[in-house]
Structure formats: C-alpha cells, structure tokens
Amino acid sequence: MTNHTYRMEKQLLLLGLIRQRSRHGYEMVDYIETALASCVDLKKPTAYFLLDKMTATGWLTQTDQREGNRPSKRVYELTPQGEDEFQRLLQENLATFNDATFPGDIGVIFADALPRAEALELLARRRAALIARQTEVQAAPPHPGVLQWTVEHVRCHLTADLGWLDNVINDLSKRGE
Amino acid sequence: MTNHTYRMEKQLLLLGLIRQRSRHGYEMVDYIETALASCVDLKKPTAYFLLDKMTATGWLTQTDQREGNRPSKRVYELTPQGEDEFQRLLQENLATFNDATFPGDIGVIFADALPRAEALELLARRRAALIARQTEVQAAPPHPGVLQWTVEHVRCHLTADLGWLDNVINDLSKRGE
DNA sequence: TTTTCCATGTAACTCGTTACATGATTTC
DNA sequence: GAAATCATGTAACGAGTTACATGGAAAA
C-alpha cells in the first residue's frame, strides 16, 4: 500500500502548501524554487502533472480564477481525502530517516590516480565551491518560522562537510612524507 | 561537451575499478553494493548497460573468460581512450561540490499540522532510525585504505544530522510553554 | 534435492527533465 | 517595441528500476 517513491515528498509538499491556503501551480513552483530548494527539487512540468493526478484521484479540487486581466489561475483546494492523504504522508515523512549518498567520494577514492599536486588543486576548487555555498547560506535573510530549520539543516551539513573535506585534503597532502 | 548527469559518477566508478585491475560486471556490482553503497546506488541492469555502452564507445574492451566449470565472465579492460575519459571524469568529480537536498525537512515544515505529542513521537522514530544507522556504521570493520574516508564521511554527516534533529525536537517540545 | 550463489542479460515501466508552445501583461 | 513576468501545458527524451529469463555450480 505504502508507495515508497521519492514522489511522495513532492506530493506531501504540494498538499501541505495547498492545505495552508488555496494556491495555484505557478505560485507553488515559484515558492518551492526560491524558498524550499534545499528540501526538494520540483520542476514545473512535474508539479502540473502531480496536481492533475491528485485532482483526478480526488485529493484536490480545481477552480479557475481570473483576477483583473491576468491569465486565469487554476486554484487548488484540499478535499477530505486529500487531508487524509496529507496526514498519512506527513506521518511517514516525519518517522523516516533518509540517509544520503556521496557521489563526490568516488573521486576521492581514485584521487591517487592523479599527481598529488593536481588532486590537491582540484579538491581546493571543491572546497572553494563549498565555502561559496556556505557564505551564500549565511548571507540569506532569516527565514520565517519553521523554515529557519531548513536553513539550519543546510548550514550544519555544510559545516560537517567542510570538516571532512579538510581532513581528506590534510591526509592527502601528508601522505608519504 | 561536459555531460552533467549523475550517470557520470557511475561511469567514473566503473572505469576506476576496471583501471585498478581487469574485472567483470557481477564482481563490480557486488563490490559496489557492499563496500560503496554510501557513495552510489548502482544496480545490475544499469551496470551491464553502462559497460556495454562504454565498450561500444571504445573506452573498454571485453574478453570472455571461463575458469574451471563456472559460467564464463565478461572481463573488461581500459583502452587509452578509456583512460582519458577516466582522467576527465575524475578531475571533474574532484573539483565539484555536490550539495544535498533534505526531503525529510518537508515533514518538519508541516509538523504543526499534527498534535504536538504525535509529531514528537514520529520524530523520535526518525531519531531511532538515525541512531541505528550510526551504530551500524560504528560497528563496521575498518575499511582498507582510502575507503575509510567514505566511512568517515557518513559518520560525520550522521553526527551533524543527529545534532540538528535534536535541536528540532527540542524546539518543538518547548514551543508555547 | 532444494536453495543459494555465480553470471549475464532483456522488457516494460516509472520518474523526472528539457525543450517547446501559447498567450496575455507589465516593465524597460 | 522588446524583454521579462505571469500562467498553463505537451512531447520527447533520459535515466534508472523492477521483474523476469536463463543456466550451471556449489552448498545445505
């Protein structure tokens, strides 16, 4: 019964946003890409597809609204079944721990295939990108309410990652001395 | 020219393993699933597909070997072009920083849709899963050579994640007091 | 003797993306 | 008048998975 795809998270997110107040697709995608990019990566076609699907399933209702002369919006609201599904997905999401994978480790594994100086220079570039991301996060204005948690999450993982990377760089530069 | 898909990592990994010594598909998939699961998630059909593709592209050569009465193995070796491609992919991988996404944060964002006690209980389950993973990593026998870095990476991210999660649980339980 | 392991593969499917199409409206 | 923004969608493709098929050999 439980549908263990990563699509779950995206559905949960859309349902949750609509649950807060009725919204239309464009608005949600925009919000997600700016404020929630650290949580999920949800593109327009996926969003529209999921909204259509969830409407067909009976979790959402559509209403076309046109304000002034703007293009008409397709505004969504939660049905009782939608609320049930939201609760189910929320419970599962809260109780589940997702562990990450680290594709960047593959390069580290084979680093000794390169001259040490070159490997260290490339890792220095990786480090610079990490730092850039870190200052970007640090510079971001404080997010309202619970959203601050997501910022905090990114921040703490970047710190951990930097510590690990510095260890790797250190070990590599000291090897064979 | 640069092909920015996540398939890159998988190709780099296969090329790197074959570069160390000639290997066959089954062997590599087995090794990846046991020793390198924290880096990439590579399933059999994907591996066989990529090995075929890279052979067709001219990065690998195949040789069928049969030891004793065992089913014959398709053993791969790197061509000069394969070595070039390996170098290219390795350089790109080492210089690139991948930031993670946290789908588990979505639940946290909507946690106040649940009675606080229930939310806390669900997060406690998530925490338990994290701890279980942590002890599993701690209990693992020391990995040889550079592989220890990947273990260390997982370990340090689990620690960071636990710290963050405890903060969330703490904040949530203290709210409105 | 049945199950597990070794070893390779294929077909169908799901998920998600990119790139495109449409059209009005506001801003430069 | 051109470009960016608001708003919705489709078609084609890419990546990867599950489930299946095959067949021999070793272990239980």
Side-chain angles (χ1 to χ4, degrees):
Chain A
M1 184 101 249
T2 39
N3 187 18
H4 276 285
T5 63
Y6 23 132
R7 176 167 281 189
M8 282 189 358
E9 280 98 47
K10 315 200 174 197
Q11 294 189 20
L12 172 61
L13 179 52
L14 292 172
L15 290 172
L17 290 177
I18 294 164
R19 187 179 181 271
Q20 290 177 344
R21 58 182 169 77
S22 58
R23 303 191 194 224
H24 63 281
Y26 189 88
E27 183 191 356
M28 288 190 278
V29 171
D30 205 55
Y31 180 64
I32 291 165
E33 281 179 351
T34 58
L36 299 175
S38 65
C39 305
V40 204
D41 189 32
L42 182 64
K43 300 288 158 59
K44 255 186 295 174
T46 310
Y48 283 123
F49 171 78
L50 288 177
L51 289 168
D52 277 356
K53 209 198 79 174
M54 293 194 287
T55 305
T57 314
W59 298 345
L60 298 176
T61 53
Q62 293 179 344
T63 323
D64 279 20
Q65 269 183 21
R66 107 175 318 149
E67 302 174 357
N69 290 349
R70 291 293 190 72
S72 79
K73 307 168 185 177
R74 184 146 291 171
V75 175
Y76 295 91
E77 266 164 295
L78 238 65
T79 64
Q81 301 99 286
E83 173 68 23
D84 286 354
E85 187 60 20
F86 169 77
Q87 296 274 334
R88 216 183 55 74
L89 290 173
L90 177 56
Q91 286 166 25
E92 192 173 338
N93 183 286
L94 282 173
T96 302
F97 168 68
N98 305 101
D99 48 351
T101 58
F102 303 101
D105 288 10
I106 296 171
V108 172
I109 291 171
F110 298 122
D112 48 359
L114 257 40
R116 189 171 314 170
E118 191 183 347
L120 285 169
E121 204 248 294
L122 293 164
L123 285 175
R125 276 206 259 162
R126 185 196 284 195
R127 191 179 186 280
L130 201 164
I131 297 278
R133 182 86 181 85
Q134 208 170 33
T135 52
E136 184 185 300
V137 171
Q138 232 74 355
H143 283 53
V146 287
L147 282 192
Q148 192 56 39
W149 276 331
T150 68
V151 178
E152 201 50 36
H153 204 177
V154 173
R155 205 193 50 72
C156 98
H157 271 276
L158 287 173
T159 304
D161 221 35
L162 180 60
W164 175 81
L165 185 56
D166 279 338
N167 275 341
V168 170
I169 290 172
N170 204 34
D171 278 23
L172 193 65
S173 59
K174 276 214 297 264
R175 267 234 302 270
E177 264 181 10
Chain B
M1 184 103 248
T2 40
N3 187 17
H4 277 285
T5 62
Y6 23 133
R7 175 167 281 188
M8 284 187 359
E9 281 97 47
K10 317 203 172 192
Q11 296 190 20
L12 172 61
L13 179 52
L14 293 171
L15 289 173
L17 290 176
I18 294 163
R19 187 178 180 274
Q20 290 177 344
R21 58 182 168 77
S22 58
R23 306 192 192 224
H24 63 281
Y26 189 89
E27 183 191 356
M28 288 189 277
V29 171
D30 207 54
Y31 179 65
I32 290 165
E33 281 179 351
T34 58
L36 299 176
S38 65
C39 305
V40 203
D41 188 32
L42 181 64
K43 300 289 156 59
K44 254 187 295 176
T46 309
Y48 283 124
F49 171 78
L50 288 178
L51 290 169
D52 277 355
K53 209 196 80 172
M54 291 194 289
T55 305
T57 313
W59 299 344
L60 299 176
T61 53
Q62 293 181 342
T63 323
D64 279 21
Q65 268 183 21
R66 109 173 316 146
E67 302 175 358
N69 290 350
R70 291 293 190 72
S72 79
K73 307 167 185 176
R74 184 146 291 173
V75 175
Y76 295 92
E77 266 165 297
L78 237 63
T79 65
Q81 301 99 287
E83 173 68 23
D84 286 353
E85 187 61 18
F86 169 77
Q87 297 273 336
R88 217 184 53 76
L89 290 172
L90 178 56
Q91 286 167 24
E92 192 172 338
N93 182 288
L94 282 172
T96 303
F97 167 67
N98 304 100
D99 48 351
T101 58
F102 303 100
D105 288 9
I106 296 171
V108 171
I109 290 171
F110 298 121
D112 50 359
L114 257 40
R116 188 171 317 171
E118 192 183 347
L120 285 169
E121 206 248 295
L122 293 164
L123 284 175
R125 277 206 258 162
R126 184 194 286 193
R127 191 181 188 280
L130 200 164
I131 297 279
R133 183 83 182 86
Q134 208 170 34
T135 54
E136 186 185 298
V137 171
Q138 232 73 357
H143 283 53
V146 286
L147 282 192
Q148 193 55 37
W149 277 333
T150 68
V151 178
E152 201 51 35
H153 206 177
V154 173
R155 205 193 51 70
C156 99
H157 272 276
L158 287 172
T159 304
D161 221 35
L162 181 59
W164 176 81
L165 184 56
D166 279 338
N167 274 343
V168 170
I169 290 172
N170 204 36
D171 278 19
L172 193 65
S173 60
K174 276 214 296 263
R175 267 235 301 271
E177 261 181 10

